[in-house]
Amino acid sequence: MYPMLKPALRRAWRGRNTVQFGVTPAHAVTLGPVDLATGSFLELLDGTRGLPLLHEEARALDLSERHVDTLLARLTEAGLLDDPRSAGQGADVLCRRAEVMDRQRPDVASLSVVRPEPGGGTRRMAARRAMRVQVRGAGRVGASIASVLSGAGVGHVEVLDGGRTEHGDVAPGGLPPAAVGERRDVAARRLVRRSAPGPAPRRAGTDGAAAGPPGSAGQPGLSLIVVAPRDGLAVYAPVADTAGPWIASGTPHLYAGVIEATGVVGPLVLPGGTGCAGCLELHRADRDPQWPRMLAQWRSGRRGAVPACDLGLATAVAGLAAAHALAFLDGDLPSCTGVRWEAALPLLDWRSEPIGPHADCSCGAAGGAMRDRTSGALPAQDTMAG
């Protein structure tokens, strides 16, 4: 073990014997009482010394071995210690790729703040490289989401869309002006490769041979589908049948898009556990009996020539959706789980709407929620509503 204080958390003395790690309330931790010798010892925790050397240098400061071990235990329990060397083999492979790590250091530092265990940030970054995410849509929102996910270390990012890139698809962080006229899927694949911190990792098969590219038999399973079509109606009122195969296969999926100057992120659907697109449509019909009639007209009618998709709003939606997706891939349930977030121009006041399971939906989430209530456990939706 080569312990180091997490460098991402700034330190300051709150008084003569109390140290605060971190600036913001979300992640700040205070440690005390800390005497002068212990404060000097904290400066030695920079990842260059193993425990034997730390014990030796502590003795020079008149600190006992027991005092050092107790201090290290407290720092570990508080989530303040890091040790990248303990992150495992996958992380070791990542750390040896200097060109990749140079790009990912800010991301690893961020992960180290939210992952309390030593080596947690590097371990999570290595795990991202083995994941596969599919983004459905290569417009202003979808292409930017794919770019961010790839740049954040997700090893396999696929983008599905048809047609050719139009001028209105171009966005900073998304498809470039040079892609206009090119097939959207081809341009999106190039964007993903250009955004990645390094070549996509190859997975070893059962026979030790390297697996092929996405689409081959040896590709990793889908960790998440991000639904970000250019037609914002397909996000605001998604067609339930489209999500049927994802519900059946248990594939988590997240909706994100812009419609009529309104940004939408969520819900993140966990099949069998949270409300789905079918639940959303049924709930709306319960509140507004005329909704199905109007929705049929909107879906079948002629669309306007130019969608109302403000570039700043599209970029904000893409960034928020990508951040939620990464939080889920890293093992958390972000606030869009079973919840839709909306913000409309010009005020951009983000508001949330829980999308609970509907008893009449065939997805089965309502039955699962009822079983959880019967057993005394809280379903995911009830937990997130707080």
Side-chain angles (χ1 to χ4, degrees):
M1 183 177 180
Y2 287 77
M4 63 183 298
L5 291 171
K6 292 184 175 178
L9 294 173
R10 304 184 188 205
R11 301 198 298 276
W13 288 88
R14 292 184 60 86
R16 296 186 63 181
N17 60 359
T18 304
V19 181
Q20 177 167 317
F21 298 82
V23 177
T24 65
H27 302 293
V29 177
T30 58
L31 178 70
V34 178
D35 57 30
L36 183 60
T38 303
S40 299
F41 178 79
L42 290 177
E43 300 296 329
L44 304 177
L45 300 178
D46 58 4
T48 64
R49 300 167 176 86
L51 286 178
L53 182 55
L54 285 174
H55 285 146
E56 180 181 336
E57 299 204 23
R59 285 192 292 271
L61 296 170
D62 291 327
L63 297 176
S64 68
E65 187 170 315
R66 179 180 179 183
H67 179 85
V68 169
D69 292 341
T70 300
L71 175 64
L72 292 178
R74 289 181 62 194
L75 291 170
T76 301
E77 184 178 359
L80 298 175
L81 278 191
D82 206 353
D83 184 9
R85 305 187 192 196
S86 67
Q89 181 179 0
D92 290 341
V93 173
L94 177 62
C95 290
R96 287 196 295 269
R97 301 189 62 184
E99 77 286 358
V100 175
M101 279 302 297
D102 286 344
R103 279 273 304 272
Q104 304 280 215
R105 288 190 197 285
D107 303 276
V108 173
S110 177
L111 285 169
S112 76
V113 172
V114 299
R115 297 295 164 185
E117 70 277 12
T122 310
R123 190 178 301 114
R124 293 290 177 174
M125 182 57 65
R128 285 184 186 179
R129 289 180 55 77
M131 293 179 177
R132 175 176 161 237
V133 176
Q134 186 179 92
V135 179
R136 291 180 166 251
R140 285 188 164 188
V141 175
S144 296
I145 291 174
S147 174
V148 172
L149 293 179
S150 180
V154 178
H156 305 272
V157 179
E158 306 170 16
V159 185
L160 303 182
D161 206 342
R164 295 187 177 276
T165 304
E166 300 177 1
H167 290 281
D169 297 324
V170 173
L175 297 180
V180 173
E182 190 177 15
R183 281 177 44 183
R184 285 193 179 92
D185 58 345
V186 173
R189 283 198 295 269
R190 184 180 300 112
L191 171 67
V192 166
R193 289 195 300 269
R194 188 175 66 244
S195 302
R202 298 179 66 83
R203 290 166 57 93
T206 55
D207 59 354
S216 66
Q219 68 178 341
L222 276 173
S223 301
L224 178 68
I225 295 174
V226 181
V227 187
R230 287 171 285 113
D231 179 9
L233 181 64
V235 170
Y236 191 75
V239 179
D241 290 345
T242 302
W246 311 332
I247 298 291
S249 64
T251 306
H253 45 287
L254 169 65
Y255 294 93
V258 174
I259 179 172
E260 297 175 357
T262 298
V264 177
V265 177
L268 169 62
V269 179
L270 307 181
T274 66
C276 68
C279 297
L280 172 62
E281 189 165 329
L282 289 167
H283 282 307
R284 279 180 169 158
D286 290 343
R287 295 194 302 267
D288 181 2
Q290 300 306 316
W291 177 259
R293 179 194 301 271
M294 295 187 296
L295 186 57
Q297 296 174 63
W298 289 327
R299 286 174 175 170
S300 61
R302 187 170 63 182
R303 283 176 278 172
V306 180
C309 184
D310 176 82
L311 182 58
L313 180 59
T315 304
V317 167
L320 184 60
H324 279 261
L326 289 168
F328 174 73
L329 295 174
D330 291 335
D332 293 309
L333 291 181
S335 62
C336 67
T337 308
V339 174
R340 161 166 286 173
W341 288 89
E342 293 184 16
L345 293 174
L347 301 182
L348 290 173
D349 182 16
W350 286 95
R351 300 178 181 273
S352 63
E353 176 193 4
I355 310 297
H358 195 285
D360 295 335
C361 186
S362 61
C363 71
M370 185 60 67
R371 286 193 297 273
D372 287 338
R373 289 189 179 92
T374 302
S375 66
L378 283 175
Q381 177 54 44
D382 287 348
T383 302
M384 294 305 301

